[in-house]
Amino acid sequence: MVAVSEDVAVQLLSRRASGDDETVRTLLVGLRRSLAHEAITEKLWDDLEAVLGEHARPTAYESAVIARRFRKATITFVEIVPHLVRPYPLAELTRLINVSAEHPRVEATHGHLRRFALAILTLLDLVGDAAS
């Protein structure tokens, strides 16, 4: 966060805002990238690698922790994807929400996490295209 003096704030707020199409498009792209950056953290990529990587086999404890973070990411995606992706990816979000609602038995955890990770990756692909 950046603090500015009252004089600077008044000066910034008194400037005329530009409403031309090019400026609005540039601002929209920046806002979309900012939203995507907030949702797509380095930890999310680490979790995806822990589940989908070549030698991935998380422990039961790691699986529970990753599943919690994936569920938190699901909430974030439900909130931001409508602002980033057109047309609205109903099938992809529905799949993510449904997988998020599952709570499998211990022996089915790894398969569940793989499906969860793949559903997240599908949305990441759509958000990446929209945010660029």
Side-chain angles (χ1 to χ4, degrees):
M1 187 164 146
V2 176
V4 296
S5 68
E6 185 177 337
D7 294 339
V8 172
V10 168
Q11 181 184 8
L12 290 172
L13 292 173
S14 65
R15 289 184 181 173
R16 279 189 45 117
S18 175
D20 64 89
D21 288 343
E22 184 177 339
T23 302
V24 172
R25 274 194 298 276
T26 302
L27 179 61
L28 185 57
V29 167
L31 290 172
R32 285 181 174 163
R33 285 185 178 157
S34 176
L35 273 175
H37 180 71
E38 287 180 28
I40 304 166
T41 64
E42 193 65 36
K43 188 64 184 160
L44 179 61
W45 288 112
D46 292 344
D47 288 343
L48 290 168
E49 177 65 26
V51 173
L52 297 173
E54 184 177 348
H55 302 289
R57 196 65 182 172
T59 65
Y61 175 77
E62 291 169 333
S63 294
V65 170
I66 291 170
R68 272 195 302 277
R69 284 197 291 257
F70 280 178
R71 285 186 182 91
K72 186 177 177 184
T74 298
I75 294 167
T76 304
F77 278 118
V78 167
E79 292 173 349
I80 69 159
V81 165
H83 301 288
L84 299 174
V85 180
R86 300 269 192 261
Y88 186 79
L90 181 61
E92 292 85 353
L93 273 173
T94 300
R95 179 170 184 250
L96 179 63
I97 291 166
N98 288 339
V99 173
S100 175
E102 294 174 7
H103 295 276
R105 295 182 315 269
V106 174
E107 61 272 9
T109 301
H110 188 68
H112 167 71
L113 280 179
R114 289 182 60 78
R115 287 190 307 279
F116 211 160
L118 291 171
I120 289 171
L121 275 177
T122 299
L123 280 171
L124 287 174
D125 285 344
L126 294 173
V127 168
D129 292 343
S132 57

